[in-house]
Amino acid sequence: MPQSTHLQTIPVGPLGLIVMDSCSSLGKKVNDYLVTWRRERENEHKTTIQFNGYQRDSYLINAKAPRFGSGEAKGVINESVRGDDLYIMVDVCNYSLTYSLSGYVNHMSPDDHFQDLKRIIAAVGGKARRINVIMPFLYESRQHKRTARESLDCAMALQELTRMGVENILTFDAHDPRVQNAIPLKGFENVPCIYQFMKALLRTEPNLDLDSDHMMIISPDEGGMGRAVTFANYLGLDVGMFYKRRDYTRIVDGKNPIVAHEFLGSNVEGKNVLIVDDMISSGDSMMDVARELKRRKAAKVFIASTFGLFTNGLAKFDAAYDQGIIDRVLTTNLVYQTPELLSRPYYVNVDLSKYIALLIDNLNHNSSLQDLLIPTDRINRLLERYKNREK
């Protein structure tokens, strides 16, 4: 059960959780945590009018985005949300959902999910006390800056949401968190997952030596160096980086193809390495990095990525595991996970539902998120227990 110091403040409003179909499994877990905590929590003010609706059997609000046969849709909320502090959860990467389009089966794209999110916000009709959006994979976050005559999709999406009345946007491991500059007067939280990754890895690998002589953190490219340095600082490890040398004379699938991966760092021979990144898309780049580390005689290779999209399937990961190139792949349940992925022997599912519930619980009380966003103490306690082999 989480610490209750923030309960000295009055909730912003009765808590309401709208979970889009795209993340129904994750949302149910979040709701279960909130129901349990608030049922068990002791507070002398819980019977006052300011805490009206504080304890419920469920915080889930019945909301849908049904579609017509033409593919058009509408947002519908089937119960009152007047005065509620609403949290809307959406996974824009869930391609498993389908709808009928003039008799054809169409898989939902990120654009479809984003439109449905706006429909639900529109259905609220300004009746809620506050609207917060929890969008783990930030919509269009890979199109966050302009380098030619091209659109600025992420910035436009953020501005559109805030114009519709959204007060806070929570996302995880944004591709470039500086995109929040598009909405400087609204709340934007870029939530890290370092503690959850370390907890999952140490639980899965009980015999790691967490020192610079036996382990190293690797960034697969220059853009993720800050993330790797953060990991390394928490763990007291050395850090290395691969530089992607690209062919800027050609564009393949919307990007310049990688010619080679050049390594910058100390010797990795005999060391376990942890490759950290924000997402696995096709996985080609990650596999190239893993092979290069194995060529340099690294011991075990672990991959930790917040978003496992696996857009080209799992075949290359299966082959790499069979060949001994990778040992573990850790991704979160913040985006859709296929049953095939969950069944793989090398895969470690990092559950973020409790973390999201803690964030919602604190925000509902207008309490500081600093201890949750900067998990130094929790990581230190985790490492101390691990080194002392306390189960």
Side-chain angles (χ1 to χ4, degrees), residues 191-204:
V191 183
C193 310
I194 296 177
Y195 172 73
Q196 287 75 17
F197 271 120
M198 293 312 307
K199 187 176 180 180
L201 177 62
L202 299 183
R203 183 186 295 122
T204 309

Side-chain angles (χ1 to χ4, degrees), residues 358-386:
L358 284 167
L359 293 167
I360 292 174
D361 201 23
N362 277 264
L363 276 175
N364 182 236
H365 280 269
N366 254 350
S367 183
S368 172
L369 301 181
Q370 181 173 350
D371 291 340
L372 294 174
L373 299 179
I374 305 176
T376 306
D377 293 338
R378 286 183 295 156
I379 290 177
N380 288 338
R381 290 194 298 268
L382 173 67
L383 295 177
E384 189 64 26
R385 290 196 302 269
Y386 184 79

Side-chain angles (χ1 to χ4, degrees), residues 265-310:
S266 58
N267 186 14
V268 299
E269 183 174 354
K271 295 180 181 179
N272 298 320
V273 293
L274 175 62
I275 308 171
V276 295
D277 206 359
D278 61 334
M279 74 176 71
I280 297 174
S281 185
S282 67
D284 292 336
S285 177
M286 197 68 81
M287 289 299 97
D288 289 342
V289 168
R291 288 190 186 91
E292 184 62 26
L293 289 168
K294 277 294 185 179
R295 191 182 69 80
R296 293 171 180 269
K297 300 181 180 180
K300 289 186 175 183
V301 175
F302 309 117
I303 297 173
S305 181
T306 307
F307 306 107
L309 305 182
F310 302 102

Side-chain angles (χ1 to χ4, degrees), residues 196-247:
Q196 287 75 17
F197 271 120
M198 293 312 307
K199 187 176 180 180
L201 177 62
L202 299 183
R203 183 186 295 122
T204 309
E205 297 287 333
N207 297 311
L208 293 178
D209 292 311
L210 298 177
D211 58 66
S212 56
D213 292 329
H214 298 91
M215 195 167 181
M216 193 171 179
I217 304 296
I218 302 293
S219 173
D221 54 41
E222 59 275 20
M225 194 61 182
R227 187 179 298 102
V229 168
T230 302
F231 264 88
N233 285 340
Y234 276 121
L235 299 174
L237 303 179
D238 197 3
V239 65
M241 182 194 80
F242 279 89
Y243 165 66
K244 294 178 180 177
R245 186 152 52 88
R246 296 181 179 270
D247 181 359

